[in-house]
């Protein structure tokens, strides 16, 4: 079995953490108070979306199947496909019902951007867990 270095994932995770920490500080200086509120609401909904779509449960099974040989790899591949289907389904539903999305979440001014970010948020958590 070939061993791979964990440093690329560690460095990228560290850079992501620094950007996530500094972005609100920079945006407070650049945006008005109303725009900062919209920014907070936008990312608040993005953060809770994986839990609302029940996709966070998919990540919990990864540690169970890791190291179980071919059976574990098959289960992880099936879980990856299911996570991808959930992300694509959310994108499709949000695209079709974008008018309803703006009435449910009144501060979402860009429903298409929110839709694309939602799909990315759903699949990125799974991808991060599988790489670790």
């Amino acid at each position: 079995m070939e061993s791979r270095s964990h440093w690329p994932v560690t460095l990228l995770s560290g850079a992501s953490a620094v950007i996530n920490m500094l972005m609100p500080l920079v945006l407070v200086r650049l945006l008005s108070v109303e725009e900062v509120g919209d920014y907070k609401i936008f990312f608040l909904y993005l953060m809770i979306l994986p839990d609302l779509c029940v996709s966070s449960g998919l990540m919990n099974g990864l540690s169970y199947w890791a190291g179980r040989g071919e059976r574990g790899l098959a289960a992880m591949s099936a879980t990856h496909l299911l996570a991808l289907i959930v992300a694509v389904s959310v994108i499709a539903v949000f695209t079709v019902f974008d008018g309803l999305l703006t009435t449910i979440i009144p501060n979402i001014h860009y429903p298409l951007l929110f839709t694309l970010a939602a799909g990315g948020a759903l699949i990125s958590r799974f991808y991060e867990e599988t790489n670790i």
Side-chain angles (χ1 to χ4, degrees):
M1 181 173 191
E2 182 182 325
S3 176
R4 291 189 277 175
S5 176
H6 62 57
W7 285 109
V9 173
T10 303
L11 292 174
L12 288 174
S13 295
S16 174
V18 169
I19 289 170
N20 287 336
M21 181 182 67
L22 293 178
M23 189 182 332
L25 295 173
V26 170
L27 289 178
V28 166
R29 303 287 183 216
L30 297 176
L31 302 175
S32 69
V33 174
E34 294 82 19
E35 290 172 330
V36 170
D38 291 343
Y39 164 82
K40 284 180 172 180
I41 295 293
F42 186 90
F43 284 100
L44 173 70
Y45 281 109
L46 276 183
M47 287 176 56
I48 64 171
L49 189 67
D51 295 325
L52 291 175
C53 293
V54 196
S55 68
S56 59
L58 296 174
M59 276 71 79
N60 294 335
L62 292 177
S63 59
Y64 176 77
W65 290 109
R68 301 229 177 197
E70 292 297 320
R71 188 170 174 217
L73 288 175
M76 290 174 83
S77 294
T79 305
H80 184 266
L81 181 63
L82 183 59
L84 188 60
I85 289 170
V86 167
V88 169
S89 299
V90 165
I91 289 173
V93 168
F94 282 2
T95 301
V96 170
F97 297 109
D98 67 340
L100 182 64
L101 183 66
T102 56
T103 59
I104 293 172
I105 309 170
N107 291 337
I108 300 297
H109 300 295
Y110 304 103
L112 182 61
L113 290 177
F114 182 79
T115 300
L116 295 175
L122 289 171
I123 200 69
S124 68
R125 287 178 69 183
F126 182 81
Y127 181 70
E128 179 183 358
E129 289 293 322
T130 55
N131 278 333
I132 291 174

